[in-house]
Amino acid sequence: MARTRQTKFIFVTGGVLSGLGKGITAASLGNILKARGLKVNLQKCDPYLNTDAGTLNPAEHGEVFVTHDGGETDLDLGHYERFLGQQLGRTSSLMNGRVLARVIADERAGKYLGKTVQIIPHVTNAMQAEILAAGRGFDVHIVEIGGTVGDIESLAFLEAIRQLRHKVGIGNVIYVHVVYLPYLEASKELKTKPAQNTVKDLRESGIQPDIVACRSERDIPRDLLDKIAMFTDVNPKGIVALPTAKTVYEVPLTLEAAGLGDYVTKLLGLGRKKPQLTEWRELVDTIRNHSYQHTVRVGVVAKYMSHEDTYMSVFEALKAAGWAHQAKAEIVWVDAEKLTPENIGTQLAGIDGLVVPGGFGPRGAEGKILAAAYAMDHNLPYLGLCLGLQTAVIALARKVVGVDANSTEMDPTTKHPVIHIMEQQKAVTDLGGTMRLGDYPCILGRGTLAHRVYGKKRIIERHRHRYEVNNKYRARLEKAGMVFGGLSPDGQLVEMIEMAGHPYFLASQAHPEFTSRPGHPNPMFSGFVAAMVKLD
Ligand code: GLN
């Protein structure tokens, strides 16, 4: 009988403040372990009471990352996929709401046999079951605990991972704590006290870290690292400096250079293995030292302008496409709500191409439709992502069908519903987890631009939408120059559109940004940047 492999667990927590890049640290650790030929999975555990990220506002929480199997997850999953170069499933994102919902459902079903249902052991056991299930079949399972140690919210997860060490065996689990070292301008030094205190908090929960990753804005002198080792009782080999990197893709190499790959495999008894990091090093070299031959200015037409996290995968895909074409992709925010027919020419002056990313609801929709029309009329490269396909259809329909053509999402009573709700969505009342989600195949028409950029006839991309092109209007749009270059295998759903005679007008009902990787940009993005470079 084949020996069942013992999965090794690495739990990553964070302290001092949030937003330290715990996700990048976890993903980077995954990267250098995978580079050793190990089978690695990653999972994010979030302490808030949402069931998944589906109903979270991306302006506050960052993009909703969609997995191939239709999970609506935390944006850290995007980092994980990009750093591992592998698809993760929906079980790689666990929110507390899902755990609690399960426990309460079991309570109603009488499964606790009359017992008092408690955080410990019932909730913590349910958490452990999810973590163990996600790790099954992998050599190493890295689990990031969201939030900051010391928050009331994360206590149950901390207790769950503390207990797991005993359940799966002491040598099979390590803990990594990511801390922050603030720089004090007055005394011109980095301070270690907050780091010491957060490790103390972690130890209060019964967890002694094996590794402390120290984030700071500056280089950290060795004696400070030794001081942290001393006060936290961690082997100096386990204290690693993570000064702010020029690119996040450098972090795996920083960890490797600090000897962490060997140290972790030693702690977990995984044997000594040489990492294969050549390709990754080349990527980082390209990103760092590139003397770009081109700069392309990409206008991203959006309503959430506050932070990049909202469109994280879109930006990463654009950057990756740039690296592949010796081009620096410079992002220019275009505020959809401020665009008018009068000012659009000046607002878009100097822009080499437009992206209309995914979005929901009527706010800013008119600006996005205007932008699509402008790109159509001015031979400006256009990349439409989900809503960006719908805005392009509306833009053309307004010229050839009727000026009030719209999506029923934006105007439920429109006379010309060129975009309408999908049949299977009509009865849906719950908002969470009910869209057309995850991988769906699409067949590309021979000789189309889509076919050219993908280089194959059948593609699969990830979806997250409720509305679709109304087939009733297809013929009229086609006559006006729109090509329905990609359709669902039964021909009933429009998956991709393009404009005949345009240098690069390509839009998808899916979200190709989710399958883009730093060294392997998604073809739609790659083609978009190539078109801008050609016109440069
Ligand atoms: N709001 C549109 C729909 O639901 C587009 C969704 C999206 O861009 N992800 O169909």
Side-chain angles (χ1 to χ4, degrees):
M1 203 176 80
R3 193 174 60 94
T4 36
R5 208 178 357 220
Q6 167 65 56
T7 305
K8 308 285 180 170
F9 292 85
I10 302 178
F11 295 108
V12 181
T13 53
V16 183
L17 24 109
S18 60
L20 282 182
K22 235 184 323 146
I24 299 285
T25 309
S28 299
L29 205 47
N31 177 299
I32 59 173
L33 293 175
K34 189 174 173 185
R36 287 172 159 74
L38 295 164
K39 206 169 159 212
V40 179
N41 195 16
L42 275 148
Q43 184 180 33
K44 172 87 184 275
C45 294
D46 274 307
Y48 20 80
L49 300 187
N50 299 72
T51 305
D52 60 30
T55 57
L56 286 170
N57 179 349
E60 254 169 57
H61 191 79
E63 115 186 325
V64 176
F65 186 83
V66 181
T67 53
H68 70 94
D69 54 357
E72 295 175 281
T73 73
D74 185 86
L75 90 170
D76 273 318
L77 273 273
H79 294 313
Y80 299 169
E81 286 208 358
R82 288 186 288 271
F83 278 71
L84 279 192
Q86 96 194 20
Q87 291 195 343
L88 302 176
R90 62 192 312 149
T91 55
S92 279
S93 173
L94 177 64
M95 292 193 181
N96 204 3
R98 182 177 306 284
V99 179
L100 297 182
R102 190 149 305 161
V103 170
I104 290 168
D106 283 351
E107 185 269 340
R108 290 289 79 188
K111 289 196 186 157
Y112 294 108
L113 306 174
K115 287 243 169 15
T116 316
V117 181
Q118 296 181 293
I119 302 278
I120 306 170
H122 302 106
V123 171
T124 46
N125 280 352
M127 289 169 167
Q128 289 167 12
E130 297 273 0
I131 291 171
L132 290 171
R136 207 157 287 140
F138 291 91
D139 296 318
V140 184
H141 186 43
I142 304 174
V143 183
E144 177 191 353
I145 308 296
T148 310
V149 166
D151 296 347
I152 291 180
E153 291 191 318
S154 38
L155 286 176
F157 269 119
L158 292 181
E159 175 60 13
I161 64 168
R162 184 193 71 76
Q163 291 184 4
L164 261 181
R165 183 157 173 260
H166 293 269
K167 295 197 176 165
V168 301
I170 299 215
N172 298 324
V173 172
I174 59 167
Y175 300 97
V176 178
H177 196 45
V178 184
V179 303
Y180 182 64
L181 270 50
Y183 182 76
L184 208 61
E185 196 59 57
S187 55
K188 304 236 174 314
E189 56 179 346
L190 287 166
K191 306 299 283 184
T192 64
K193 187 71 81 191
Q196 294 177 41
N197 284 340
T198 174
V199 172
K200 214 185 278 173
D201 288 343
L202 188 64
R203 291 167 85 166
E204 231 164 68
S205 308
I207 297 172
Q208 163 66 36
D210 300 284
I211 289 162
V212 175
C214 305
R215 285 278 296 111
S216 75
E217 309 296 329
R218 320 181 163 236
D219 288 336
I220 309 171
R222 185 68 236 179
D223 62 321
L224 275 200
L225 298 176
D226 290 341
K227 184 172 166 189
I228 294 169
M230 167 80 176
F231 283 106
T232 57
D233 232 354
V234 170
N235 186 323
K237 284 190 181 143
I239 308 283
V240 13
L242 286 179
T244 300
K246 199 164 167 204
T247 155
V248 290
Y249 296 110
E250 207 176 310
V251 177
L253 302 181
T254 311
L255 294 184
E256 186 58 39
L260 212 69
D262 287 342
Y263 188 56
V264 166
T265 43
K266 189 167 157 239
L267 287 179
L268 291 172
L270 287 163
R272 259 186 103 80
K273 294 185 174 74
K274 246 184 103 59
Q276 294 293 339
L277 284 163
T278 323
E279 212 183 302
W280 197 266
R281 274 187 219 288
E282 280 167 14
L283 170 73
V284 173
D285 275 352
T286 311
I287 303 172
R288 286 192 53 137
N289 314 321
H290 217 77
S291 39
Y292 293 104
Q293 291 172 20
H294 313 270
T295 298
V296 290
R297 301 187 78 223
V298 184
V300 177
V301 190
K303 67 176 172 187
Y304 296 131
M305 313 282 295
S306 48
H307 63 125
E308 294 199 0
D309 283 5
T310 314
Y311 304 104
M312 174 74 79
S313 294
V314 176
F315 290 161
E316 290 306 317
L318 284 170
K319 284 192 248 171
W323 299 326
H325 292 95
Q326 290 81 45
K328 184 176 162 56
E330 219 174 83
I331 311 287
V332 183
W333 289 102
V334 179
D335 187 344
E337 288 184 277
K338 297 219 170 92
L339 285 182
T340 65
E342 293 73 38
N343 72 14
I344 189 158
T346 38
Q347 293 270 340
L348 299 184
I351 282 183
D352 300 314
L354 281 178
V355 176
V356 174
F360 294 84
R363 192 158 73 80
E366 283 304 316
K368 295 176 188 177
I369 296 165
L370 270 180
Y374 188 89
M376 242 176 237
D377 295 344
H378 293 81
N379 280 341
L380 193 62
Y382 179 87
L383 183 67
L385 310 170
C386 201
L387 181 65
L389 174 143
Q390 301 174 358
T391 52
V393 169
I394 299 167
L396 185 64
R398 285 190 180 174
K399 290 191 214 174
V400 298
V401 175
V403 283
D404 50 357
N406 213 335
S407 160
T408 52
E409 181 182 14
M410 315 308 167
D411 176 6
T413 60
T414 176
K415 225 168 77 212
H416 300 296
V418 287
I419 303 293
H420 65 173
I421 196 149
M422 285 184 279
E423 197 51 45
Q424 63 269 42
Q425 289 289 328
K426 283 186 179 152
V428 169
T429 49
D430 271 0
L431 293 185
T434 54
M435 280 184 261
R436 181 170 180 252
L437 288 165
D439 273 358
Y440 283 94
C442 159
I443 309 298
L444 303 177
R446 197 176 298 281
T448 57
L449 172 63
H451 188 199
R452 268 207 309 284
V453 299
Y454 274 99
K456 53 183 175 186
K457 271 209 84 179
R458 188 178 185 275
I459 59 161
I460 294 175
E461 294 286 3
R462 302 182 196 173
H463 295 67
R464 183 172 186 250
H465 67 124
R466 281 186 212 288
Y467 295 83
E468 59 165 329
V469 175
N470 187 341
N471 289 335
K472 218 174 83 189
Y473 295 94
R474 254 156 75 172
R476 267 186 279 176
L477 293 165
E478 241 159 7
K479 233 166 97 198
M482 188 165 273
V483 178
F484 296 99
L487 299 173
S488 57
D490 65 1
Q492 287 309 300
L493 280 181
V494 171
E495 289 281 3
M496 291 188 74
I497 61 149
E498 52 198 70
M499 289 302 294
H502 190 289
Y504 197 91
F505 196 104
L506 194 56
S508 169
Q509 192 55 80
H511 288 272
E513 66 270 27
F514 295 138
T515 54
S516 193
R517 305 279 181 256
H520 305 276
N522 175 281
M524 279 183 75
F525 283 83
S526 194
F528 176 61
V529 169
M532 287 187 287
V533 165
K534 214 159 115 198
L535 297 172
D536 193 19

PDB file of all heavy atoms in Angstrom, residues 493-516:
ATOM      1  N   LEU A 493     -24.217  31.851 -25.386  1.00  0.00           N
ATOM      2  CA  LEU A 493     -23.733  32.977 -24.582  1.00  0.00           C
ATOM      3  C   LEU A 493     -22.558  33.650 -25.274  1.00  0.00           C
ATOM      4  O   LEU A 493     -21.619  32.983 -25.695  1.00  0.00           O
ATOM      5  CB  LEU A 493     -23.229  32.481 -23.225  1.00  0.00           C
ATOM      6  CG  LEU A 493     -24.236  32.181 -22.141  1.00  0.00           C
ATOM      7  CD1 LEU A 493     -23.499  31.731 -20.878  1.00  0.00           C
ATOM      8  CD2 LEU A 493     -25.073  33.410 -21.816  1.00  0.00           C
ATOM      9  N   VAL A 494     -22.624  34.974 -25.353  1.00  0.00           N
ATOM     10  CA  VAL A 494     -21.487  35.705 -25.910  1.00  0.00           C
ATOM     11  C   VAL A 494     -20.399  35.754 -24.845  1.00  0.00           C
ATOM     12  O   VAL A 494     -20.636  36.223 -23.731  1.00  0.00           O
ATOM     13  CB  VAL A 494     -21.892  37.130 -26.326  1.00  0.00           C
ATOM     14  CG1 VAL A 494     -20.655  37.943 -26.693  1.00  0.00           C
ATOM     15  CG2 VAL A 494     -22.866  37.078 -27.491  1.00  0.00           C
ATOM     16  N   GLU A 495     -19.226  35.253 -25.179  1.00  0.00           N
ATOM     17  CA  GLU A 495     -18.113  35.260 -24.229  1.00  0.00           C
ATOM     18  C   GLU A 495     -17.087  36.326 -24.575  1.00  0.00           C
ATOM     19  O   GLU A 495     -16.460  36.892 -23.692  1.00  0.00           O
ATOM     20  CB  GLU A 495     -17.423  33.884 -24.215  1.00  0.00           C
ATOM     21  CG  GLU A 495     -18.243  32.783 -23.557  1.00  0.00           C
ATOM     22  CD  GLU A 495     -18.185  32.834 -22.037  1.00  0.00           C
ATOM     23  OE1 GLU A 495     -17.558  33.752 -21.471  1.00  0.00           O
ATOM     24  OE2 GLU A 495     -18.784  31.947 -21.409  1.00  0.00           O
ATOM     25  N   MET A 496     -16.888  36.566 -25.889  1.00  0.00           N
ATOM     26  CA  MET A 496     -15.888  37.571 -26.278  1.00  0.00           C
ATOM     27  C   MET A 496     -16.378  38.351 -27.485  1.00  0.00           C
ATOM     28  O   MET A 496     -17.041  37.804 -28.359  1.00  0.00           O
ATOM     29  CB  MET A 496     -14.557  36.896 -26.625  1.00  0.00           C
ATOM     30  CG  MET A 496     -13.883  36.292 -25.415  1.00  0.00           C
ATOM     31  SD  MET A 496     -12.237  35.709 -25.781  1.00  0.00           S
ATOM     32  CE  MET A 496     -11.330  37.229 -25.911  1.00  0.00           C
ATOM     33  N   ILE A 497     -16.018  39.634 -27.498  1.00  0.00           N
ATOM     34  CA  ILE A 497     -16.352  40.469 -28.652  1.00  0.00           C
ATOM     35  C   ILE A 497     -15.104  41.203 -29.136  1.00  0.00           C
ATOM     36  O   ILE A 497     -14.130  41.354 -28.398  1.00  0.00           O
ATOM     37  CB  ILE A 497     -17.431  41.519 -28.319  1.00  0.00           C
ATOM     38  CG1 ILE A 497     -16.932  42.449 -27.211  1.00  0.00           C
ATOM     39  CG2 ILE A 497     -18.756  40.888 -27.934  1.00  0.00           C
ATOM     40  CD1 ILE A 497     -17.482  43.840 -27.326  1.00  0.00           C
ATOM     41  N   GLU A 498     -15.158  41.654 -30.372  1.00  0.00           N
ATOM     42  CA  GLU A 498     -14.102  42.515 -30.910  1.00  0.00           C
ATOM     43  C   GLU A 498     -14.718  43.394 -31.985  1.00  0.00           C
ATOM     44  O   GLU A 498     -15.894  43.212 -32.339  1.00  0.00           O
ATOM     45  CB  GLU A 498     -12.953  41.672 -31.451  1.00  0.00           C
ATOM     46  CG  GLU A 498     -13.366  40.601 -32.428  1.00  0.00           C
ATOM     47  CD  GLU A 498     -12.278  39.521 -32.581  1.00  0.00           C
ATOM     48  OE1 GLU A 498     -12.049  38.730 -31.645  1.00  0.00           O
ATOM     49  OE2 GLU A 498     -11.677  39.501 -33.652  1.00  0.00           O
ATOM     50  N   MET A 499     -13.952  44.349 -32.488  1.00  0.00           N
ATOM     51  CA  MET A 499     -14.477  45.239 -33.532  1.00  0.00           C
ATOM     52  C   MET A 499     -13.669  45.033 -34.809  1.00  0.00           C
ATOM     53  O   MET A 499     -12.436  45.149 -34.791  1.00  0.00           O
ATOM     54  CB  MET A 499     -14.373  46.707 -33.106  1.00  0.00           C
ATOM     55  CG  MET A 499     -15.336  47.128 -32.012  1.00  0.00           C
ATOM     56  SD  MET A 499     -17.085  46.893 -32.389  1.00  0.00           S
ATOM     57  CE  MET A 499     -17.332  48.063 -33.723  1.00  0.00           C
ATOM     58  N   ALA A 500     -14.361  44.750 -35.889  1.00  0.00           N
ATOM     59  CA  ALA A 500     -13.680  44.548 -37.174  1.00  0.00           C
ATOM     60  C   ALA A 500     -12.963  45.838 -37.574  1.00  0.00           C
ATOM     61  O   ALA A 500     -13.495  46.935 -37.369  1.00  0.00           O
ATOM     62  CB  ALA A 500     -14.707  44.173 -38.235  1.00  0.00           C
ATOM     63  N   GLY A 501     -11.751  45.692 -38.075  1.00  0.00           N
ATOM     64  CA  GLY A 501     -11.023  46.848 -38.598  1.00  0.00           C
ATOM     65  C   GLY A 501     -10.372  47.722 -37.537  1.00  0.00           C
ATOM     66  O   GLY A 501      -9.728  48.719 -37.854  1.00  0.00           O
ATOM     67  N   HIS A 502     -10.536  47.370 -36.282  1.00  0.00           N
ATOM     68  CA  HIS A 502      -9.937  48.155 -35.194  1.00  0.00           C
ATOM     69  C   HIS A 502      -8.582  47.548 -34.848  1.00  0.00           C
ATOM     70  O   HIS A 502      -8.423  46.326 -34.891  1.00  0.00           O
ATOM     71  CB  HIS A 502     -10.881  48.110 -33.989  1.00  0.00           C
ATOM     72  CG  HIS A 502     -10.526  49.062 -32.885  1.00  0.00           C
ATOM     73  ND1 HIS A 502      -9.429  48.885 -32.076  1.00  0.00           N
ATOM     74  CD2 HIS A 502     -11.127  50.197 -32.457  1.00  0.00           C
ATOM     75  CE1 HIS A 502      -9.378  49.877 -31.199  1.00  0.00           C
ATOM     76  NE2 HIS A 502     -10.394  50.692 -31.403  1.00  0.00           N
ATOM     77  N   PRO A 503      -7.554  48.375 -34.512  1.00  0.00           N
ATOM     78  CA  PRO A 503      -6.244  47.779 -34.205  1.00  0.00           C
ATOM     79  C   PRO A 503      -6.279  46.804 -33.027  1.00  0.00           C
ATOM     80  O   PRO A 503      -5.594  45.783 -33.037  1.00  0.00           O
ATOM     81  CB  PRO A 503      -5.337  48.978 -33.906  1.00  0.00           C
ATOM     82  CG  PRO A 503      -6.213  50.180 -33.839  1.00  0.00           C
ATOM     83  CD  PRO A 503      -7.535  49.836 -34.489  1.00  0.00           C
ATOM     84  N   TYR A 504      -7.034  47.086 -31.990  1.00  0.00           N
ATOM     85  CA  TYR A 504      -7.139  46.125 -30.884  1.00  0.00           C
ATOM     86  C   TYR A 504      -8.328  46.487 -30.005  1.00  0.00           C
ATOM     87  O   TYR A 504      -8.224  47.305 -29.085  1.00  0.00           O
ATOM     88  CB  TYR A 504      -5.864  46.101 -30.032  1.00  0.00           C
ATOM     89  CG  TYR A 504      -5.775  44.863 -29.155  1.00  0.00           C
ATOM     90  CD1 TYR A 504      -5.143  43.709 -29.606  1.00  0.00           C
ATOM     91  CD2 TYR A 504      -6.329  44.842 -27.875  1.00  0.00           C
ATOM     92  CE1 TYR A 504      -5.063  42.570 -28.820  1.00  0.00           C
ATOM     93  CE2 TYR A 504      -6.259  43.702 -27.083  1.00  0.00           C
ATOM     94  CZ  TYR A 504      -5.613  42.572 -27.557  1.00  0.00           C
ATOM     95  OH  TYR A 504      -5.533  41.432 -26.775  1.00  0.00           O
ATOM     96  N   PHE A 505      -9.442  45.897 -30.304  1.00  0.00           N
ATOM     97  CA  PHE A 505     -10.630  46.113 -29.472  1.00  0.00           C
ATOM     98  C   PHE A 505     -11.116  44.726 -29.084  1.00  0.00           C
ATOM     99  O   PHE A 505     -11.687  44.002 -29.884  1.00  0.00           O
ATOM    100  CB  PHE A 505     -11.709  46.862 -30.263  1.00  0.00           C
ATOM    101  CG  PHE A 505     -12.786  47.452 -29.388  1.00  0.00           C
ATOM    102  CD1 PHE A 505     -12.796  48.817 -29.119  1.00  0.00           C
ATOM    103  CD2 PHE A 505     -13.768  46.647 -28.810  1.00  0.00           C
ATOM    104  CE1 PHE A 505     -13.783  49.376 -28.296  1.00  0.00           C
ATOM    105  CE2 PHE A 505     -14.738  47.201 -27.987  1.00  0.00           C
ATOM    106  CZ  PHE A 505     -14.755  48.569 -27.738  1.00  0.00           C
ATOM    107  N   LEU A 506     -10.834  44.353 -27.824  1.00  0.00           N
ATOM    108  CA  LEU A 506     -11.119  42.984 -27.407  1.00  0.00           C
ATOM    109  C   LEU A 506     -11.709  42.999 -25.995  1.00  0.00           C
ATOM    110  O   LEU A 506     -11.167  43.639 -25.095  1.00  0.00           O
ATOM    111  CB  LEU A 506      -9.812  42.178 -27.424  1.00  0.00           C
ATOM    112  CG  LEU A 506      -9.906  40.665 -27.341  1.00  0.00           C
ATOM    113  CD1 LEU A 506     -10.770  40.081 -28.444  1.00  0.00           C
ATOM    114  CD2 LEU A 506      -8.511  40.051 -27.396  1.00  0.00           C
ATOM    115  N   ALA A 507     -12.837  42.337 -25.849  1.00  0.00           N
ATOM    116  CA  ALA A 507     -13.459  42.301 -24.526  1.00  0.00           C
ATOM    117  C   ALA A 507     -13.979  40.903 -24.236  1.00  0.00           C
ATOM    118  O   ALA A 507     -14.362  40.163 -25.147  1.00  0.00           O
ATOM    119  CB  ALA A 507     -14.595  43.312 -24.461  1.00  0.00           C
ATOM    120  N   SER A 508     -13.967  40.574 -22.966  1.00  0.00           N
ATOM    121  CA  SER A 508     -14.383  39.239 -22.549  1.00  0.00           C
ATOM    122  C   SER A 508     -15.434  39.334 -21.449  1.00  0.00           C
ATOM    123  O   SER A 508     -15.369  40.218 -20.591  1.00  0.00           O
ATOM    124  CB  SER A 508     -13.163  38.485 -22.007  1.00  0.00           C
ATOM    125  OG  SER A 508     -13.574  37.307 -21.378  1.00  0.00           O
ATOM    126  N   GLN A 509     -16.367  38.394 -21.474  1.00  0.00           N
ATOM    127  CA  GLN A 509     -17.353  38.337 -20.401  1.00  0.00           C
ATOM    128  C   GLN A 509     -16.717  37.725 -19.146  1.00  0.00           C
ATOM    129  O   GLN A 509     -17.250  37.800 -18.058  1.00  0.00           O
ATOM    130  CB  GLN A 509     -18.570  37.527 -20.874  1.00  0.00           C
ATOM    131  CG  GLN A 509     -19.791  37.609 -19.995  1.00  0.00           C
ATOM    132  CD  GLN A 509     -20.264  39.020 -19.724  1.00  0.00           C
ATOM    133  OE1 GLN A 509     -20.926  39.644 -20.530  1.00  0.00           O
ATOM    134  NE2 GLN A 509     -19.913  39.554 -18.563  1.00  0.00           N
ATOM    135  N   ALA A 510     -15.527  37.184 -19.317  1.00  0.00           N
ATOM    136  CA  ALA A 510     -14.814  36.573 -18.189  1.00  0.00           C
ATOM    137  C   ALA A 510     -13.815  37.567 -17.595  1.00  0.00           C
ATOM    138  O   ALA A 510     -13.783  38.736 -17.968  1.00  0.00           O
ATOM    139  CB  ALA A 510     -14.104  35.321 -18.663  1.00  0.00           C
ATOM    140  N   HIS A 511     -13.019  37.078 -16.671  1.00  0.00           N
ATOM    141  CA  HIS A 511     -11.984  37.895 -16.024  1.00  0.00           C
ATOM    142  C   HIS A 511     -10.616  37.280 -16.307  1.00  0.00           C
ATOM    143  O   HIS A 511     -10.074  36.555 -15.454  1.00  0.00           O
ATOM    144  CB  HIS A 511     -12.214  37.950 -14.515  1.00  0.00           C
ATOM    145  CG  HIS A 511     -13.385  38.780 -14.121  1.00  0.00           C
ATOM    146  ND1 HIS A 511     -13.292  40.133 -13.902  1.00  0.00           N
ATOM    147  CD2 HIS A 511     -14.683  38.457 -13.933  1.00  0.00           C
ATOM    148  CE1 HIS A 511     -14.480  40.606 -13.577  1.00  0.00           C
ATOM    149  NE2 HIS A 511     -15.347  39.613 -13.585  1.00  0.00           N
ATOM    150  N   PRO A 512     -10.045  37.561 -17.478  1.00  0.00           N
ATOM    151  CA  PRO A 512      -8.762  36.934 -17.821  1.00  0.00           C
ATOM    152  C   PRO A 512      -7.626  37.341 -16.882  1.00  0.00           C
ATOM    153  O   PRO A 512      -6.594  36.670 -16.841  1.00  0.00           O
ATOM    154  CB  PRO A 512      -8.503  37.427 -19.250  1.00  0.00           C
ATOM    155  CG  PRO A 512      -9.333  38.661 -19.399  1.00  0.00           C
ATOM    156  CD  PRO A 512     -10.530  38.444 -18.541  1.00  0.00           C
ATOM    157  N   GLU A 513      -7.834  38.412 -16.124  1.00  0.00           N
ATOM    158  CA  GLU A 513      -6.770  38.854 -15.210  1.00  0.00           C
ATOM    159  C   GLU A 513      -6.427  37.793 -14.161  1.00  0.00           C
ATOM    160  O   GLU A 513      -5.310  37.757 -13.641  1.00  0.00           O
ATOM    161  CB  GLU A 513      -7.137  40.184 -14.522  1.00  0.00           C
ATOM    162  CG  GLU A 513      -8.316  40.153 -13.551  1.00  0.00           C
ATOM    163  CD  GLU A 513      -9.660  40.437 -14.205  1.00  0.00           C
ATOM    164  OE1 GLU A 513      -9.801  40.170 -15.418  1.00  0.00           O
ATOM    165  OE2 GLU A 513     -10.582  40.919 -13.509  1.00  0.00           O
ATOM    166  N   PHE A 514      -7.415  36.919 -13.851  1.00  0.00           N
ATOM    167  CA  PHE A 514      -7.156  35.955 -12.782  1.00  0.00           C
ATOM    168  C   PHE A 514      -6.229  34.818 -13.203  1.00  0.00           C
ATOM    169  O   PHE A 514      -5.689  34.116 -12.357  1.00  0.00           O
ATOM    170  CB  PHE A 514      -8.475  35.371 -12.261  1.00  0.00           C
ATOM    171  CG  PHE A 514      -9.356  36.395 -11.589  1.00  0.00           C
ATOM    172  CD1 PHE A 514     -10.722  36.413 -11.816  1.00  0.00           C
ATOM    173  CD2 PHE A 514      -8.815  37.334 -10.725  1.00  0.00           C
ATOM    174  CE1 PHE A 514     -11.543  37.354 -11.195  1.00  0.00           C
ATOM    175  CE2 PHE A 514      -9.627  38.280 -10.098  1.00  0.00           C
ATOM    176  CZ  PHE A 514     -10.996  38.283 -10.339  1.00  0.00           C
ATOM    177  N   THR A 515      -6.076  34.593 -14.492  1.00  0.00           N
ATOM    178  CA  THR A 515      -5.193  33.499 -14.911  1.00  0.00           C
ATOM    179  C   THR A 515      -3.840  34.023 -15.374  1.00  0.00           C
ATOM    180  O   THR A 515      -3.002  33.258 -15.846  1.00  0.00           O
ATOM    181  CB  THR A 515      -5.822  32.662 -16.044  1.00  0.00           C
ATOM    182  OG1 THR A 515      -6.176  33.556 -17.101  1.00  0.00           O
ATOM    183  CG2 THR A 515      -7.049  31.914 -15.578  1.00  0.00           C
ATOM    184  N   SER A 516      -3.615  35.322 -15.253  1.00  0.00           N
ATOM    185  CA  SER A 516      -2.335  35.890 -15.663  1.00  0.00           C
ATOM    186  C   SER A 516      -1.282  35.583 -14.591  1.00  0.00           C
ATOM    187  O   SER A 516      -1.591  35.562 -13.406  1.00  0.00           O
ATOM    188  CB  SER A 516      -2.480  37.401 -15.844  1.00  0.00           C
ATOM    189  OG  SER A 516      -1.366  37.899 -16.516  1.00  0.00           O
TER     190      SER A 516
END
